[in-house]
Amino acid sequence: MSPAFRLELSPRLRIIADQVPPGARMADVGSDHGLLPLYLLSRDRIPSAIATDIHAAPLERGRQAAVEQGMEDRVSFRLCDGLAAVLPEEVDVIAIAGMGGETIAGILNAAAWSREKLLLLQPMSRSEVLRPWLAGHGCAIRQEVLVLDRGHVYPVLTVEGGTMPPLTAVQRYCGLSPRDGPLFLGYLRRWIERLERACAGLEQGGQNGEAAALRSELTELREEEKLWSP
């Protein structure tokens, strides 16, 4: 292995890697320099991978790394927006990490076939937008994990085609991760703080109707906090 390219994953990418089924063909969207697929290929977890990105330079770095590791025949690097250059029959699982929830939803919306695949999604922001979008577009969140990475807590969603019950306010903001997990209470409290600031801003701006609706959701989050506070 070349010393210039170390196959080490961040905590959030490691969670995604652990969810990829052995033997699955994978597409990694917004792959940067292909670290996730190269990691899985180096461990023979997957037979092949497609790495896409909208920037040419990181893809070229990934291609060079694949050559250095002798994996150039097993991974295809494609310059495109989202899944535009990926065919449905080429992949079994799709990973999209490091983007905002609205961007992820847009990528999936542009390739409707993607919702029939196993999706591993790691939104950096606006997860509260992504979850209801998934629920409204034939997707079901099968599992959700919170991960601490560089001082921030991020959700990782495992999603398949299907249906799910309407999301509660707590589920929309805080996800479906185990409530007794070590990161959940702190994650919940950060959302409460954010919603409190948002309510205050709306009220100052005279948007009382919007503030009242948000305060109703905030009440649900505070009730959830009482259940898990020591």
Side-chain angles (χ1 to χ4, degrees):
M1 184 177 296
S2 168
F5 189 83
R6 301 174 62 191
L7 292 175
E8 296 180 358
L9 297 184
S10 65
R12 58 190 178 84
L13 289 184
R14 184 60 183 268
I15 291 289
I16 293 175
D18 290 344
Q19 301 302 317
V20 175
R25 300 166 303 160
M26 174 184 156
D28 184 29
V29 178
S31 189
D32 196 13
H33 54 270
L35 184 58
L36 178 59
L38 290 176
Y39 174 91
L40 290 165
L41 287 166
S42 71
R43 285 151 177 80
D44 291 323
R45 281 281 303 279
I46 59 175
S48 64
I50 297 169
T52 79
D53 206 284
I54 59 173
H55 301 293
L59 281 182
E60 181 56 33
R61 182 183 173 192
R63 188 177 290 108
Q64 293 172 359
V67 171
E68 291 173 3
Q69 307 307 318
M71 301 183 215
E72 64 271 25
D73 295 333
R74 300 172 65 194
V75 56
S76 174
F77 292 88
R78 301 180 187 180
L79 183 66
C80 68
D81 187 359
L83 291 159
V86 181
L87 298 176
E89 60 268 24
E90 292 183 292
V91 297
D92 307 303
V93 57
I94 298 168
I96 310 179
M99 302 181 194
E102 290 174 319
T103 300
I104 293 173
I107 289 170
L108 298 176
N109 194 52
W113 61 265
S114 63
R115 290 170 247 163
E116 300 175 2
K117 306 294 182 178
L118 176 65
L119 303 174
L120 303 175
L121 311 176
Q122 187 275 298
M124 300 292 281
S125 62
R126 303 309 301 273
S127 60
E128 78 280 9
V129 173
L130 177 61
R131 293 185 189 98
W133 185 91
L134 292 168
H137 288 79
C139 298
I141 301 170
R142 301 304 186 192
Q143 176 179 297
E144 190 163 346
V145 178
L146 293 175
V147 58
L148 180 65
D149 194 333
R150 298 183 181 180
H152 297 279
V153 177
Y154 301 105
V156 177
L157 289 67
T158 302
V159 179
E160 293 178 322
T163 60
M164 56 189 299
L167 296 172
T168 66
V170 174
Q171 290 172 335
R172 185 156 67 88
Y173 289 105
C174 301
L176 285 78
S177 63
R179 298 312 193 225
D180 57 352
L183 299 175
F184 174 74
L185 184 57
Y187 190 63
L188 171 63
R189 285 172 171 166
R190 279 190 287 275
W191 267 113
I192 289 173
E193 292 171 359
R194 288 178 63 182
L195 293 183
E196 285 175 340
R197 290 195 297 269
C199 285
L202 289 170
E203 289 164 350
Q204 278 190 334
Q207 297 172 279
N208 295 326
E210 293 89 340
L214 198 57
R215 287 223 174 264
S216 177
E217 294 183 322
L218 184 55
T219 296
E220 186 177 324
L221 268 65
R222 284 176 173 148
E223 290 299 317
E224 185 75 14
E225 181 190 20
K226 291 177 184 178
L227 295 176
W228 301 104
S229 297

